[in-house]
Amino acid sequence: MKLPLIAIAGPTATGKSALGAALAHALNGEVVSCDSMQVYRGLETGTAQPTQAERALAPHHLTGFLDWDQEFSVSDYVAAAAEVIRGVHSRKKMPFLVGGTGLYARSLLRGFTFQPEARDEALRKSLYKEVQGLGPEALHARLAALDPQSAEEIHPHNVKRVLRALEYCLLSGEPFSRQAERSAQAEPPYRSLLFCTAFQDRQALYQRIDRRVDRMLEEGLLDEAEAFYRYCQQAEKLPTAAQSIGYKELFPYFAGKAALEEAVENVKRESRRYAKRQITWFGREPEARFLYMDRLGSVEAALEHCLKVLREENFVGEGGGVIGF
């Protein structure tokens, strides 16, 4: 029997966290984060981890539980999320998968399996030195020559994934993308419904992103990012989270190589670009139900729309109870 699971995904700054918490509260559920950077403690502001008000509405899982130096792959996430989801079901509650990391959501919802990974620490260090010397674009070009499909799907500045894909190609002798092709199971493990928050007016979304960056600064992003920068300066190996938008753009400011205004504008620009990539990613999900938040007008209206869809799809009964519990 497939476990029921409701997912709320989509681009950054579209209201996923607020809607997910409201839905979980309305249906006596629990939230399971689906964000590759919210897993790190001490980075609450820059990674937009759920607010105290959102956490008060429903229990939240897989946020702020790792130290900065701990790596966390998509296979780690799928295993951890599956365990949490089983726990939520054991409490007779509905799990709500909430976040914007498309690869995590797709891998979990489609039931991807992962073979033992080809790893070589010496090779990885060599590739990392290559990034430092030649820049991320050169390493991405090397990946494109070996595995064009992976290069198309991985952004050049996502150094962690570029390194991982190159490492796999060089050690296994096959494209990294072939591993993903083999990983899909015949049947997904969940009976899931995927909502994607979005904006019809792209400029309105970009303005919303800019305002959110300003709000993060008011809430202490600079202090948080500077503490992380100081840690990275002393670290033997650059942590994965150092590639997170909102931190890496501020590092030149702390190093005295950029003005604060320039660094902040870079945070906004990269956040808008990330949203554009997320829009493309989730637009390729054939089962996604899009929620245009600018058209709906409020989280409350989006909540009512979601409840209506969930009743129609037999996730929720007419009396408001979750079916199957």
Side-chain angles (χ1 to χ4, degrees):
M1 178 180 173
K2 293 184 179 181
L3 299 177
L5 175 65
I6 299 167
I8 302 96
T12 187
T14 52
K16 298 182 298 295
S17 295
L19 177 58
L23 265 173
H25 179 72
L27 297 175
N28 190 32
E30 301 186 18
V31 174
V32 182
S33 175
C34 187
D35 188 291
S36 63
M37 291 300 159
Q38 288 186 4
V39 298
Y40 294 103
R41 64 173 63 94
L43 303 180
E44 290 83 5
T45 303
T47 62
Q49 292 183 25
T51 64
Q52 290 302 315
E54 289 163 352
R55 292 175 187 272
L57 291 175
H60 282 63
H61 304 276
L62 298 184
T63 58
F65 69 99
L66 290 180
D67 292 329
W68 291 340
D69 62 349
Q70 291 182 265
E71 293 191 6
F72 196 67
S73 68
V74 61
S75 58
D76 293 330
Y77 173 77
V78 169
E83 182 177 355
V84 170
I85 289 167
R86 287 193 294 270
V88 174
H89 276 285
S90 73
R91 294 186 286 276
K92 307 297 183 185
K93 292 187 175 184
M94 176 69 81
F96 289 83
L97 190 72
V98 181
T101 302
L103 180 63
Y104 281 17
R106 179 182 293 175
S107 299
L108 182 71
L109 296 177
R110 296 188 186 179
F112 284 5
T113 57
F114 297 88
Q115 303 297 322
E117 296 182 291
R119 291 188 178 277
D120 184 288
E121 191 63 30
L123 175 60
R124 180 167 292 199
K125 287 181 178 179
S126 173
L127 291 172
Y128 182 65
K129 286 182 180 179
E130 190 173 333
V131 172
Q132 292 178 310
L134 301 176
E137 287 80 7
L139 206 68
H140 190 266
R142 186 175 174 188
L143 175 62
L146 295 172
D147 185 357
Q149 182 177 336
S150 290
E152 183 180 352
E153 294 177 351
I154 302 174
H155 191 274
H157 290 174
N158 190 339
V159 174
K160 176 190 173 184
R161 288 196 65 209
V162 172
L163 283 174
R164 176 69 201 107
L166 255 180
E167 181 185 31
Y168 183 90
C169 292
L170 293 171
L171 290 174
S172 69
E174 70 171 18
F176 183 65
S177 54
R178 193 165 300 164
Q179 182 193 43
E181 292 169 2
R182 289 199 304 265
S183 69
Q185 295 179 344
E187 286 290 334
Y190 305 105
R191 178 183 173 242
S192 63
L193 194 151
L194 172 61
F195 292 110
C196 281
T197 53
F199 272 64
Q200 287 185 317
D201 185 341
R202 186 75 62 87
Q203 291 306 312
L205 173 59
Y206 291 164
Q207 291 169 10
R208 185 178 169 97
I209 289 170
D210 290 350
R211 289 195 299 270
R212 187 167 79 161
V213 172
D214 290 335
R215 188 168 63 252
M216 286 177 171
L217 290 166
E218 293 171 1
E219 294 172 352
L221 175 59
L222 272 183
D223 289 340
E224 184 179 274
E226 185 172 13
F228 187 40
Y229 170 76
R230 301 301 174 197
Y231 170 84
C232 291
Q233 292 295 103
Q234 303 298 322
E236 181 178 332
K237 180 181 178 182
L238 196 65
T240 298
Q243 294 301 316
S244 179
I245 295 170
Y247 300 99
K248 61 183 175 63
E249 295 81 12
L250 291 173
F251 285 4
Y253 165 67
F254 300 128
K257 298 179 179 179
L260 178 59
E261 294 78 8
E262 178 187 358
V264 170
E265 182 52 43
N266 288 341
V267 173
K268 293 177 178 179
R269 185 191 67 243
E270 290 306 310
S271 297
R272 295 191 297 266
R273 288 177 175 174
Y274 179 51
K276 186 175 180 180
R277 295 195 298 273
Q278 288 175 301
I279 290 167
T280 300
W281 178 283
F282 289 112
R284 293 172 178 168
E285 293 299 309
E287 304 299 323
R289 311 289 186 93
F290 282 88
L291 303 171
Y292 293 103
M293 303 298 281
D294 49 346
R295 187 172 68 189
L296 288 164
S298 67
V299 171
E300 292 75 19
L303 172 63
E304 290 304 314
H305 177 79
C306 289
L307 291 173
K308 178 177 180 291
V309 173
L310 292 171
R311 285 193 293 269
E312 293 171 349
E313 297 294 333
N314 293 319
F315 279 86
V316 176
E318 290 300 325
V322 177
I323 292 175
F325 297 114

